Amino acid sequence: MTLKSILVTGTAAIALLPGQAFAAEISSEQATALLERLNQLEQEVVNLRAQLSNVETVQQKQTEQVAAVEKVAQKKEKTSIKFKGAPEIKTDDGWSFKPRGRILYDFNNLSSVPSTITIPGEGFSNEARRVRLGVQGKIPGGFGYKLEADLLDGVEITDAYLDYKSGGLTITVGQHNNFQSLEEISSSNDTSFIERSAFTDAFGFERKVGISAQYKAGDVLLQGGVFTDNIDDLSAGNDSIGLDGRVVFAPKLGDAQLHLGGSVHWMDLGDTIGSVRYRQRPLIHSVSTRFINTGNIDAEEQLTYGLEGAVIAGRFHAAAETHWAKVSRSGLANPTFFGGSIEAGLFLTDDKREYKGGVFKGVKVKNPVGSGGSGAWQVNVRYDRLDLTDAGIIGGTQDGYMASLIWTPINHVRFLLNYGNLSYGNALGIVAGAPEDFSVDVIGARAQISF
């Protein structure tokens, strides 16, 4: 019986009593019955209150369960996945994770080699230039990480580091680039030719293990660090150590992006490394022959330094670099070798070369294939100089005249076609049968995907 029905029943019972009944005396039996009835009504009220309390408890639990489900749902909504060539997972509390990698296939042809030279690789050759996989991400508190390895010829670590960022400051520990030059530290995914300028390989630029700091304030970027050697060369008591620094000034001049910079790199070779060697392939990597080569030079230290400049103005870009490598020898003259390049490029479509953080970045295709567009088309020309002759060391000279055509149908996919005429001087006997002066022609093509 509900509280409402009890009250209605009691009211009706009282109403049915004659008016005089209230004035008349009641018998003990009637009083007892009335008292029992009141006790019964009181118990029913107590029971009803207990039932209402149970209902409220159940409703409270249901409300708490709904709130818990909503909280879980809200927590899940804080995790986002975006596709940037590969899925990137981010959480609002500062975690992120993204797989990364690249596949670069090259097809090359070397011709016009003097008949007195017999080398393997003349004619057509091809190779998987790079096959890399890795991961990168962020950790709460301003920390981040990157691990990437090349899977050709076993597993070769390229990047493996932990960094910390706060405002314009970045501190990095592990294997990473030591700020060699604009051409070198711009990704191979974004270069304007299949191979970088000749001096970058000839002077032994490579990632090394160390600790570095980078600070950006407005248009100025300062980079410096202490490094040992490449992670694959740290065994067998390698105690080499070096200091590296780079300064970049990158202002905007109207809509044009300017880049002016310089870098310096000093390395004490230590007790186990007693020599250096500078040499370079003829623009294509699938040919192992070096027509320009100093051979091994006894050395204690090496110092390299260079200047760099670039401009991006709409669809046009230009870049130029010079670099010198000085070798310190005991009791002998110290040779200084030179390398440099100058290039210009123009997009035939309404696209441009990207730039960020002191390096070139890949094009962001405005009209990609698959969306009614033709992709981004770019042409480039370059003059490349490498001089490995000085202080009694005759490693030859190389002058390269090059052109390239690049098609980027969509972001992360590129096709490149290169031509180069390489002219050699002071080259007598560097390769068996080589004359003093000669030239070769190279054609290279690349298909690549990166993410």
Side-chain angles (χ1 to χ4, degrees), residues 8 24 39 55 75 80 170 176 224 247 255 283 315 340-341 360 395:
V8 171
N39 290 336
V55 170
K75 187 175 182 180
S80 64
T170 301
H176 58 291
V247 179
D255 293 332
L283 186 60
R315 296 184 296 161
S341 65
F360 286 123

Side-chain angles (χ1 to χ4, degrees), residues 109-428:
N109 190 78
L110 171 64
S111 62
S112 303
V113 179
S115 59
T116 55
I117 302 176
T118 302
I119 58 169
E122 184 177 359
F124 176 78
S125 60
N126 65 103
E127 66 174 345
R129 181 67 171 91
R130 293 181 180 90
V131 178
R132 292 182 184 173
L133 285 176
V135 295
Q136 70 177 32
K138 295 180 180 179
I139 305 172
F143 295 95
Y145 63 91
K146 181 181 179 182
L147 173 62
E148 191 171 49
D150 202 312
L151 305 183
L152 297 172
D153 299 324
V155 177
E156 179 181 343
I157 300 297
T158 53
D159 286 305
Y161 63 77
L162 174 72
D163 63 27
Y164 171 76
K165 296 182 179 180
S166 178
L169 176 67
T170 301
I171 298 175
T172 306
V173 180
Q175 167 134 318
H176 58 291
N177 267 312
N178 55 328
F179 320 123
Q180 302 98 336
S181 73
L182 173 63
E183 178 77 357
E184 175 65 20
I185 61 179
S186 294
S187 172
S188 60
N189 295 328
D190 309 322
T191 55
S192 51
F193 288 81
I194 288 178
E195 297 296 331
R196 294 184 173 96
S197 298
F199 72 88
T200 62
D201 280 345
F203 295 162
F205 293 169
E206 62 179 350
R207 293 171 172 86
K208 295 182 178 181
V209 175
I211 179 170
S212 70
Q214 173 177 290
Y215 184 74
K216 188 177 188 305
D219 297 331
V220 177
L221 177 66
L222 304 175
Q223 300 169 311
V226 180
F227 293 86
T228 56
D229 210 336
N230 185 273
I231 195 170
D232 290 331
D233 298 323
L234 293 180
S235 59
N238 185 341
D239 60 349
S240 61
I241 191 167
L243 302 175
D244 299 82
R246 181 173 181 245
V247 179
V248 171
F249 179 55
K252 282 274 194 144
L253 187 61
D255 293 332
Q257 174 67 62
L258 301 182
H259 171 99
L260 299 170
S263 65
V264 60
H265 316 270
W266 169 83
M267 184 177 183
D268 182 339
L269 300 179
D271 298 325
T272 60
I273 302 176
S275 65
V276 295
R277 178 176 58 182
Y278 302 134
R279 58 182 186 166
Q280 177 61 312
R281 291 179 170 90
L283 186 60
I284 51 178
H285 187 268
S286 55
V287 173
S288 60
T289 299
R290 279 83 165 178
F291 296 114
I292 184 169
N293 188 347
T294 64
N296 291 327
I297 304 172
D298 292 338
E300 298 175 341
E301 299 175 1
Q302 72 173 5
L303 175 69
T304 72
Y305 47 93
L307 300 173
E308 54 196 67
V311 60
I312 301 173
R315 296 184 296 161
F316 173 81
H317 91 274
E321 292 199 58
T322 57
H323 216 89
W324 293 265
K326 183 176 181 179
V327 181
S328 295
R329 300 190 292 175
S330 178
L332 296 172
N334 299 327
T336 299
F337 305 117
F338 172 80
S341 65
I342 182 170
E343 71 172 58
L346 180 69
F347 279 92
L348 305 179
T349 51
D350 188 22
D351 298 280
K352 67 175 184 177
R353 196 167 192 185
E354 300 292 332
Y355 174 92
K356 183 180 180 181
V359 297
F360 286 123
K361 294 291 187 177
V363 58
K364 297 177 181 178
V365 182
K366 290 187 177 180
N367 297 295
V369 171
S371 299
S374 60
W377 290 84
Q378 180 187 12
V379 293
N380 304 282
V381 292
R382 171 185 285 175
Y383 169 68
D384 192 342
R385 169 76 174 177
L386 182 60
D387 186 347
L388 300 183
T389 299
D390 190 48
I393 305 295
I394 302 177
T397 61
Q398 174 183 285
D399 292 282
Y401 307 89
M402 309 167 185
S404 71
L405 173 66
I406 303 175
W407 178 41
T408 309
I410 60 174
N411 293 343
H412 309 292
V413 175
R414 292 206 310 170
F415 299 91
L416 297 84
L417 180 64
N418 285 186
Y419 166 76
N421 175 265
L422 304 177
S423 178
Y424 294 96
N426 289 323
L428 182 65

Side-chain angles (χ1 to χ4, degrees), residues 53-67:
S53 178
N54 291 336
V55 170
E56 290 176 352
T57 301
V58 171
Q59 289 178 341
Q60 179 64 28
K61 290 183 178 180
Q62 290 176 341
T63 301
E64 291 176 353
Q65 290 174 349
V66 171

